[in-house]
């Protein structure tokens, strides 16, 4: 996009790639990457912008468990440092573990918004998703743990 990359630009990009565990992908073209690799590279591109506000759509899509954790810990760290992170997540357990506040949408409308432990409760989840769930405290972390089941 720009005529020349400065030393600082290169350092910022490398830091973002290190953060997303995508440094080893630097010599590959985007279309040759797997879905999870593309997700990590896309997040590195966002992080390299060093913006205080991030809007992310499914930032853990196609990622294995280790990289889901890496991405969400990174985003939680940015939020703790003062950044505003708005992420669309379909995995309620990931949202429950890392978000301080959540908003649940139902049929395109805001159904509930608030503190994670206040919104991610059985009756609200069942109403929105039309799925029976049990919500328990995570045995190690204490965050809500959503367990779907059939009656």
């Amino acid at each position: 996009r720009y005529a020349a990359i400065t030393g600082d630009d290169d350092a910022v990009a490398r830091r973002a790639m290190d953060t997303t565990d995508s440094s080893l992908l630097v010599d590959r073209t985007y279309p040759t990457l797997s879905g999870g690799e593309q997700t990590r590279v896309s997040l590195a591109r966002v992080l390299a912008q060093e913006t205080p506000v991030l809007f992310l759509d499914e930032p853990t899509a196609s990622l294995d468990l280790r990289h889901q954790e890496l991405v969400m810990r990174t985003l939680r760290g940015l939020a703790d440092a003062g950044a505003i992170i708005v992420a669309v997540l379909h995995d309620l357990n990931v949202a429950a573990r890392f978000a301080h506040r959540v908003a649940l949408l139902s049929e395109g409308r805001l159904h509930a918004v608030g503190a994670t432990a206040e919104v991610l409760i059985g009756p609200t989840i069942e109403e929105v998703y039309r799925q029976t769930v049990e919500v328990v405290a995570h045995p190690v972390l204490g965050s809500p743990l959503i367990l779907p089941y059939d009656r």
Side-chain angles (χ1 to χ4, degrees):
R1 185 173 187 188
Y2 299 104
I5 295 175
T6 68
D8 189 45
D9 292 338
D10 190 52
V12 168
R14 289 195 183 283
R15 223 174 12 257
M17 290 186 308
D18 288 343
T19 298
T20 61
D21 193 26
S22 58
S23 296
L24 295 176
L25 307 174
V26 70
D27 293 324
R28 294 183 46 200
T29 61
Y30 191 80
T32 68
L33 303 176
S34 71
E37 290 168 338
Q38 287 180 352
T39 296
R40 291 175 11 231
V41 167
S42 293
L43 180 59
R45 290 175 61 191
V46 169
L47 295 178
Q49 295 175 44
E50 297 183 319
T51 179
V53 180
L54 285 85
F55 290 94
L56 304 164
D57 185 14
E58 291 292 338
T60 58
S62 302
L63 294 180
D64 60 43
L65 187 59
R66 180 172 88 72
H67 287 106
Q68 286 179 25
E69 289 288 307
L70 176 109
V71 165
M72 294 308 296
R73 279 194 316 270
T74 298
L75 297 176
R76 178 76 262 154
L78 291 170
D80 290 344
I84 297 169
I85 310 293
V86 178
V88 174
L89 299 168
H90 286 96
D91 187 329
L92 296 180
N93 286 311
V94 170
R97 174 147 179 234
F98 291 99
H100 287 171
R101 294 180 57 78
V102 296
L104 286 181
L105 301 178
S106 178
E107 298 179 8
R109 297 185 184 274
L110 187 61
H111 183 86
V113 63
T116 303
E118 294 172 3
V119 172
L120 295 182
I121 58 174
T124 303
I125 295 168
E126 289 179 5
E127 187 175 345
V128 169
Y129 291 95
R130 295 183 299 278
Q131 169 64 50
T132 307
V133 297
E134 181 72 24
V135 180
V136 298
H138 189 287
V140 176
L141 305 170
S143 59
L145 182 60
I146 297 98
L147 305 168
Y149 67 96
D150 292 328
R151 285 192 197 252

